[in-house]
Amino acid sequence: LPISGAFSMAAGEYVSMRSQTELLERQIELERAELEAMPDEEEAEIAALYRHRGFPEGEARAIARRLMADPKVALETLVREELGLDPEELGSPWGAAIGSFFSFGAGAMVPLIPFIVLGGSPALVGSIAATSVALFAVGAAVSLLTGRSALYSGARQLGIGVAAAGVTYLVGNLIGVNV
């Protein structure tokens, strides 16, 4: 079973998400410190953001003044507008790790099932076929989110999978792995 790979992927995803979250939290804290240390400059930044969006000078300053009246709202505005972050949606490292664990585990089982069920040469053909169908299906499913053609997305995913398998095979041959 591909349990070690699933744990490895989950650990990598956790570290990646945790590092990203810590970086974003640090940026928010720096913005909070600037807001406390230099409120006039931060108010001017907010006004500039609204002027850049087409508000007249006086209206932009009035909006900035209103937002600065509540430090929490001012911080949220600066974080969203200046940094492009949503403080409420930084992501969960544990959620990403668990999702990665199960996704990897399920995906890794696809090419193994034919070997468990069939064995021998038919298993290799079954594994290639099952993996190809799964790759295409995942790509086609992604098209529902991207609005691209299911055929294009499925074929792209299949092509990437075939390329990855080919590189893996070549590297295995170069280092002398023989299965």
Side-chain angles (χ1 to χ4, degrees):
L1 292 176
I3 194 100
S4 62
F7 273 112
S8 177
M9 291 298 289
E13 190 69 29
Y14 176 85
V15 169
S16 173
M17 278 295 295
R18 188 69 215 138
S19 298
Q20 179 182 345
T21 301
E22 287 171 355
L23 173 66
L24 299 177
E25 288 169 346
R26 173 75 174 138
Q27 289 178 311
I28 291 169
E29 285 308 311
L30 289 173
E31 198 61 49
R32 178 179 282 119
E34 288 177 9
L35 191 58
E36 291 171 2
M38 306 174 291
D40 293 338
E41 287 86 349
E42 294 300 299
E43 185 173 327
E45 280 185 38
I46 293 173
L49 289 168
Y50 284 98
R51 274 195 313 277
H52 181 72
R53 289 195 170 173
F55 286 87
E57 175 72 30
E59 199 172 332
R61 278 198 319 259
I63 292 170
R65 201 171 313 112
R66 233 176 286 135
L67 291 172
M68 289 295 289
D70 184 342
K72 184 178 177 183
V73 172
L75 178 63
E76 185 176 304
T77 300
L78 286 164
V79 167
R80 284 181 194 275
E81 301 297 329
E82 190 178 338
L83 301 177
L85 302 175
D86 184 349
E88 303 299 318
E89 296 181 15
L90 295 183
S92 163
W94 281 109
I98 291 167
S100 183
F101 177 87
F102 286 110
S103 296
F104 180 88
M109 288 301 294
V110 171
L112 294 179
I113 290 172
F115 287 97
I116 294 168
V117 174
L118 301 172
S121 294
L124 179 60
V125 173
S127 180
I128 292 170
T131 301
S132 297
V133 168
L135 284 168
F136 187 87
V138 167
V142 167
S143 75
L144 297 173
L145 302 173
T146 64
R148 290 202 170 217
S149 156
L151 185 60
Y152 170 81
S153 295
R156 179 179 62 186
Q157 185 75 17
L158 177 59
I160 291 169
V162 167
V167 168
T168 302
Y169 179 79
L170 288 174
V171 169
N173 274 344
L174 287 174
I175 63 173
V177 173
N178 191 4
V179 179

